[in-house]
Each structure stands twice: as C-alpha cells, then as structure tokens.
Amino acid sequence: MSKQINVALIGNPNTGKTSVFNQLTGLNQKVGNYPGITVEKKEGICKLPRGLKAHIIDLPGTYSLNASSLDENVVIELLLNKNDKDYPDVAVVVSDVENLKRNLLLFTQVKDLGIPTILVVNMADRMERKGISLDIERLEEKLRTKIALVSARKNTGIDELKEFIINYKHLSTEPCVNASVIDPEYFEGLRSAYPNQSLYKLWLVITQDVNFGNLNRNELAKTSGFQTKPESDLKRLQQKETILRYQFINGVLKESMSVDARAAKDLRSRLDRVLTHKVWGYVIFFAILLLIFQAIYNWSSYPMDMIDEAFAQLSEWAKNTLPEGAFTNLIAEGVIPGLGGIVIFIPQIAFLFLFISILEESGYMSRVVFLMDRVMRRFGLSGKSVVPLVSGTACAIPAVMATRNIENWKERLITILVVPFTTCSARLPVYLIIIALVIPDRSFWGFNLQGLTLMLLYLIGFGTAIASAWILNKILKIRSKSYFVIEMPNYKLPMLKNVGINVVEKTKSFVFGAGKIILAISIVLWVLASYGPGEKFNNAEEIVSANYSEENPVSKADLDEEIASYKLRNSYIGIMGKGIEPVVAPLGYDWKIGIAIISSFAAREVFVGTLATIYSVGSDEEETIKNRMAAETNPILGGPLFTFASGISLLLFYAFAMQCMSTLAIVKRETNTWKWPLFQLVGMSAFAYLVALAAFQLLK
Amino acid sequence: MKLTLAQLRCGQRGIIKDFSTEDVPLKLLEMGCLPGNEVEVLQTAPFMDPMYLNMNGSHLAIRKETALHIEIELID
C-alpha cells in the first residue's frame, strides 16, 4: 500500500474552504474533536488519480498564524509540530478571489514555515462579474507556488488541485518574506541561540501562547539563556511583520491582478442597503425568525404524526410476534417507546439545523451581528452573542463553543451563562407534546394558536437570556479591554451539498448522542416500573380483585387496567415517585411527571421518552404517546392531569430549568472552573421552580 | 483636532494616517487596517455604531470606540 499524502486545508473564514473540502472528500469524511478540547476536527479521504490517496484535514478558519482563540491555536499547533501524525506533507491555502489580498497574508505565513504550499483561488466563477483579472503565471512565479483556480460551486479546478497535491514534492519551499528584517539584531540573536531551528518557526513559538509538543515557549526561555523581549515590544514587532507582509503582497498583486471597479458595483451593496438598513434591517430579521418558527411547527407536523403512529404499531407488533416474557416486555414497553420519543423529533431538528445552516452559509448572519451589536451591548453582550443565541435554539453545546470569537471576556462569559435559556431543540419534544395537549388547535388572525404559543416560548427564552444578561452585567465586576471586528462576507447562495452535509451530520449526532442516554434511561425506568418490593406489588391481582364481588361487578378490561396502575404505584419507581410528589404537587404535576423531570436532568428530551415508558408499562393497547398523556387524571384535584394550568407550569419549568449535563460539562470546560456551571444549575433550576409554582397557583 | 474614522458619514472615504493608541488590535491590521490604506464607510447601524467599512477591499464592521482611535484624512 502506498503512503497517504497528508494534506492540511487552511484558509480565512468565509473563503469556501469547507466547500473545497466537501468537493475533495465527498461524503467520505468524519467529524470528531481534537483530543482534550472541543474544537471540531474534520478529516476525510480523497481519492487521487493513479490509485493514490490523500488524507485531508480541514483546519478551523483563521486570518493569520497569530492565534487569538482556541480554534486558531489548533492550526498553528499542527503546523509547528513535525511529530504530529497529521503534520501535513503539503498545505493547501484556500483564498477567496475577491479578498485575495487579505487571504495572501495567511498564505505567506504558512509558506514561510517551509511547508510545500499550494494556493487555491476559490470562487473563480465570480471573477468576471467582479471585473477581476488575474495573471496566474505571474502570480505563481512571484509566490513560488502552484495556483489552482477553483470554483467549488461549479466543481471546476478540483482535478487540477488534485494533480498539484500528487506532485507536491516539486513545490518550492522558499519563503516569501524574510521576517527577520523587522528587527535584524533580535533575529540574529535567535538564530545563534538555536542554530538548528527554522527562524520563522522560532519567532512564532515566541509570540504565541500555545503548545507545540517538543518546542515550547517556556523551554525556549529556560534552556538557552536567550533574552526575549517584553510582551509589548513583541506586539509592536508583530505589527511590523504584518505591514511588511502586506508590502510584499501589494507588490505581487500590482503586477498580476487588476480590478475593473466599474464592474464591482454589485448585488452586495444593493442587498446591504436593505438588509442592514436602520429600520428595514430589523423588520426583515424578525420576519425571518417568525417564518422559521412557523415553518418548524407546521411543516414537520406531518412526518411527526407518521413516526408517532409507526412506533406505536411497532411496539404492538413486537408484543404480538415475539415470544412472551420479560425480554419482550422490555423491548415493547421500554426500548421502543423510549426510542420513539427521540426519533419523532428528527424532522423538527433537521428543519432547525437547515435554517441555521442557510443563514450562516448565505452570509446573512454577519449582518445580524452588525445590526444587533449596539443593542446587545446595552445588556452586557456583544453583537457576536447573537450567533450563539440563535444557534442555541438548536443546541446549547455548539452555542457555548460559538462564543469563542467574542473578544471581550466579560461579554463572552455572560453569553455563555445565558445561552442555556434559549429554547434548544431538546426542549422542543416537551413543548410540542404539552402544547398539543393543552393549547387548542385553532386559528387566530391566520396564525395557528399552537404555533404562536411555541413562538412565545422561544421569545420567553430569548427574553430571559437578555434580562439575565443585563443583571449579570450589573453584578459581575470584570474589567476587560477589548475590541470588536467582524468580517462582512459576500452574500452567497447556500450550496445544497454544504447545507445537506451539515444538516445530516448535526442531526445524526443529536440522535445518536441523545439516543444512547435515552435508551439507557428507558431500560432502567422500565425495570424500576416493572418490579416492586413486597406484598403489595407481588399480590396486586388478589388485592385489587378483592375489591370486587358478585354484587359489585367489573369488566375484565377495567380490572386489568386497575391492576396495572396499582402495580405501577407500588413498583420501585412508584415508591420513589410518591416520595417526590409533595415537591412537585404544588406545581400541578403527579409523581409520573416528577420522575420524568428527574430523569430529564440527564437531558431534557428524555422527558417524553420517560413518560412514554412509564405509561406503556402494563398497557396492552396500541396507543400514541399523546393519547396516553391526554387520558391521565390528576390524583389530587381529579380531572385531566394535563390542564391549561399544569401545562403552562410545565412549559415554564422546562423553559428555565438547567437540565442538561452536557451543557454543564461544556461550560466547565470553556470557563475552566466548576463555579459557573454550578451557578447555572442552581440559579436556573430554582428560578424555574418558583415561576412554575406561581404559574400553576395563579391559573388553576 | 484630528479627524478620526468615527466622524465619517455613510459613503465618505478617507486614507488611514495613524493610530492614536499603542495597542491597535493585531487582528485589525491583519484585516487590512494599515496606514496608507483607503477606507470607506458603507453603512452605520443606529447611533453610528458599529460601522460597516470597506477597508482596502476587506469588508468589516468595527465599533465606534475603535474607530475613534483611527486617524484619517478625508478624500473628497
């Protein structure tokens, strides 16, 4: 077997790097995490001509090798560590033809590391429209590299790029810029202290605060006695280096690129005039949000009903077909309803990821950041907090990670703390089933009442996040200096392939991640609900039958039902549930909901699966989860268990409570202390309890 | 008093002259905010903050507080 060529894809954000990655690898890719940190690691295999293969790693987007975030550290750590198994044989720097000048900054840095580097000029299909012409030969000669003109959208230039990758050994590894001219004396000192190392590498090691395996900044300082400079001097030198690089780039582009400015008046400015308008910009943003939530609610109801029905039938089928016994019961009453509780939400979650992915891909999200920055700052947040808050509607975990590009620590911390209030997709299952039970399915001014309620819950989520940010901003005493820069990328029609891959990946990880927990919990619950201690559980039949006699007859079905519910009450779970009932009864819940809430502290979406499992134990009929819940009665007040009051109370409890262990874990990791996740857990859950209590007591 | 980027209106252009603070964020420089480069204000959010700029071909938005530190010379 021939050796695979290790390729690293590097590039600025918004250059279509991921599209190039998708074109090279197709669906032959895998997404994981870098060990120990939560930065997403995307790698894939690319088939090259002549039976060769390349292992491609898609590094996080970065503007330069001067890392300022965890994601960017990954890039530089890999490029400086020759011993890493992913250390690239060849680097591919992806650039956007319209931002070539800025993109070349990163290119020159990578090339100066002595790694063979290919330049991809992406979005070549836009050149003509933008009046850009490039002298590729000239550019190749000046940059001492090979250049592939690629349009990931039109799928052109990819074969040429593959050829370059195969022939990477012929690429020049000479640097573009001699960085040592910014301070010859200092660099001379460096060279004599470490004669065996590449000078530019040393410089990066000194100026960056990251881990480099065998080459470490502190080691450098200790071993050699080489006197480095104070931080502020180094910063000034970094600025000089940037200016130097731009001088080189300007020189190169002057000879090889020309832009006809008349052609460049374009779609972007026309769209921006409306989309970032002082009034229309906001109107459009809120209209888009409204549309998304209505769509999620209305469009996904059809596939969801079908899935619900299918699982009920599957459960029935399993019961009738498999040999009778404990194992069959476990499958039919524990596993299948539990899994049904998660599969049913695939349509909605997929729709949500679809919309978020389209907003990101099209470039619209940056406009929202721009529009909202000033408003958000009033609440101690940043415009960049909008992205975590919006993606928090999918899941708080990627949302907490998305705060990494917020430069100001205080703004970032507040964003992390309030993000779990936004309505994540795990709350959807709970919301949907309760809304379906307690809110009438009627139209109000053309809007579906149930859809409006859902929208209201989302607004409550955002509102609480914003309000608590405002309070935290007043309480937290953190001084941090910062700045705010955000790129406003070009508008792009989202590529079907990118959006599709994104939706599939995210939905898959949601389903499998949650699926595992739910499966485990439903099995445990089923066991606890199917067995009980003592006489009462074991002799349930006799005890219940004893209540009836010839004079007081009862139908067989009713009797069975009563026996089943008597058994459930005296099972292990029933006894535990009864124990917590006094705590949840003032909120309008019975002990079954209490158990479901407790098990939801592992993950919220477990709620529906838990109820499904508890309710289906002992029941013979094929029923959907929703019908079973509607049939429940309140043990204390009588009447249906799920009324308007208890329903609203439950909705509000789930809106505010911190019930997600994974989020707590990620917050711990991102803030580096248990203080903040504990603060969230206690604060949010106590608040949720009080609000739910007030709601039920006022409405009942 | 020196003219700063924060005083420009929508559609106005200028040449970056200097920075009135020692620590200009490196990221801003990397995005093309260098002395001698041209900058145009494309759009401002309400209260002129943040500002949406075309900085030497790079499209980016910065806050007013940062723009106050960027001295410029107006182009008519």
Side-chain angles (χ1 to χ4, degrees), chain A residues 306-337:
Chain A
M306 277 160 51
I307 294 171
D308 199 7
E309 190 62 37
F311 267 88
Q313 276 169 14
L314 185 65
S315 180
E316 176 78 6
W317 175 86
K319 211 171 223 179
N320 294 336
T321 327
L322 295 174
E324 216 165 295
F327 181 70
T328 300
N329 285 343
L330 171 63
I331 298 287
E333 297 172 354
V335 175
I336 295 178

Side-chain angles (χ1 to χ4, degrees), chain A residues 616-677:
Chain A
S616 63
V617 169
S619 122
D620 283 329
E621 285 146 76
E622 171 227 324
E623 279 260 42
T624 61
I625 301 170
K626 191 180 139 190
N627 290 344
R628 283 202 197 105
M629 288 173 73
E632 284 293 302
T633 52
N634 189 310
I636 299 165
L637 304 170
L641 176 64
F642 290 95
T643 59
F644 185 68
S646 67
I648 296 294
S649 154
L650 202 51
L651 287 176
L652 290 173
F653 185 85
Y654 272 82
F656 299 132
M658 178 64 180
Q659 301 164 286
C660 181
M661 294 197 294
S662 323
T663 304
L664 291 172
I666 209 88
V667 171
K668 147 80 177 53
R669 208 180 274 176
E670 296 287 315
T671 59
N672 233 341
T673 155
W674 278 109
K675 178 174 153 197
W676 298 117

Side-chain angles (χ1 to χ4, degrees), chain A residues 243-301:
Chain A
I243 293 172
L244 183 74
R245 287 185 186 281
Y246 267 115
Q247 281 168 352
F248 168 78
I249 293 162
N250 283 335
V252 169
L253 288 183
K254 209 177 203 169
E255 294 177 48
S256 51
M257 182 164 105
S258 66
V259 183
D260 181 359
R262 277 167 306 157
K265 278 287 161 201
D266 56 334
L267 188 67
R268 174 203 197 96
S269 48
R270 259 181 289 153
L271 272 176
D272 271 337
R273 211 165 297 150
V274 186
L275 294 181
T276 63
H277 187 270
K278 291 185 174 82
V279 179
W280 297 120
Y282 296 93
V283 172
I284 292 169
F285 176 48
F286 288 110
I288 289 176
L289 285 184
L290 185 75
L291 176 86
I292 290 177
F293 295 130
Q294 279 289 320
I296 288 177
Y297 198 78
N298 289 334
W299 297 354
S300 45
S301 65

Side-chain angles (χ1 to χ4, degrees), chain A residues 389-687:
Chain A
L389 287 176
V390 171
S391 48
T393 58
C395 177
I397 295 161
V400 168
M401 291 193 273
T403 61
R404 281 184 192 148
N405 66 350
I406 300 175
E407 298 89 350
N408 178 317
W409 169 242
K410 186 178 176 183
E411 289 174 350
R412 181 166 168 224
L413 178 65
I414 294 179
T415 311
I416 291 176
L417 290 178
V418 305
V419 145
F421 276 122
T422 56
T423 305
C424 67
S425 50
R427 284 184 179 100
L428 262 184
V430 186
Y431 285 178
L432 292 170
I433 204 137
I434 308 238
I435 287 176
L437 283 171
V438 305
I439 307 288
D441 186 10
R442 276 205 307 267
S443 208
F444 179 74
W445 280 22
F447 290 107
N448 180 293
L449 265 187
Q450 297 185 332
L452 278 181
T453 310
L454 187 67
M455 163 116 183
L456 203 64
L457 281 165
Y458 274 89
L459 289 179
I460 288 174
F462 280 123
T464 319
I466 299 286
S468 34
W470 186 79
I471 296 168
L472 286 170
N473 189 31
K474 298 270 174 226
I475 297 173
L476 292 175
K477 295 274 173 272
I478 301 172
R479 286 207 34 83
S480 57
K481 207 162 52 169
S482 86
Y483 57 98
F484 170 94
V485 188
I486 184 166
E487 190 191 352
M488 307 287 270
N490 260 317
Y491 289 107
K492 282 184 267 292
L493 209 60
M495 275 174 74
L496 210 61
K497 191 168 183 178
N498 292 352
V499 174
I501 288 179
N502 199 4
V503 170
V504 170
E505 279 296 332
K506 295 276 167 62
T507 312
K508 228 164 67 186
S509 74
F510 173 85
V511 172
F512 289 119
K516 266 184 280 179
I517 306 177
I518 289 176
L519 193 63
I521 288 187
S522 28
I523 292 173
V524 171
L525 284 173
W526 178 84
V527 171
L528 290 177
S530 300
Y531 298 92
E535 298 293 296
K536 279 187 163 175
F537 184 85
N538 293 325
N539 303 329
E541 272 110 48
E542 290 92 80
I543 296 171
V544 175
S545 312
N547 295 338
Y548 301 100
S549 57
E550 300 286 322
E551 304 91 69
N552 184 8
V554 62
S555 75
K556 175 84 174 69
D558 284 352
L559 184 68
D560 282 350
E561 177 119 325
E562 203 168 321
I563 292 172
S565 91
Y566 186 83
K567 268 185 142 171
L568 189 58
R569 256 181 289 139
N570 289 294
S571 66
Y572 289 108
I573 206 167
I575 293 164
M576 284 156 64
K578 287 285 171 195
I580 56 164
E581 195 158 36
V583 182
V584 295
L587 275 55
Y589 315 153
D590 70 348
W591 65 267
K592 293 173 190 167
I593 300 180
I595 290 289
I597 288 179
I598 302 247
S599 58
S600 318
F601 273 90
R604 295 177 182 95
E605 59 273 38
V606 171
F607 177 82
V608 180
T610 303
L611 285 185
T613 306
I614 298 180
Y615 290 157
S616 63
V617 169
S619 122
D620 283 329
E621 285 146 76
E622 171 227 324
E623 279 260 42
T624 61
I625 301 170
K626 191 180 139 190
N627 290 344
R628 283 202 197 105
M629 288 173 73
E632 284 293 302
T633 52
N634 189 310
I636 299 165
L637 304 170
L641 176 64
F642 290 95
T643 59
F644 185 68
S646 67
I648 296 294
S649 154
L650 202 51
L651 287 176
L652 290 173
F653 185 85
Y654 272 82
F656 299 132
M658 178 64 180
Q659 301 164 286
C660 181
M661 294 197 294
S662 323
T663 304
L664 291 172
I666 209 88
V667 171
K668 147 80 177 53
R669 208 180 274 176
E670 296 287 315
T671 59
N672 233 341
T673 155
W674 278 109
K675 178 174 153 197
W676 298 117
L678 284 176
F679 173 74
Q680 285 179 310
L681 177 66
V682 175
M684 289 174 68
S685 304
F687 180 61

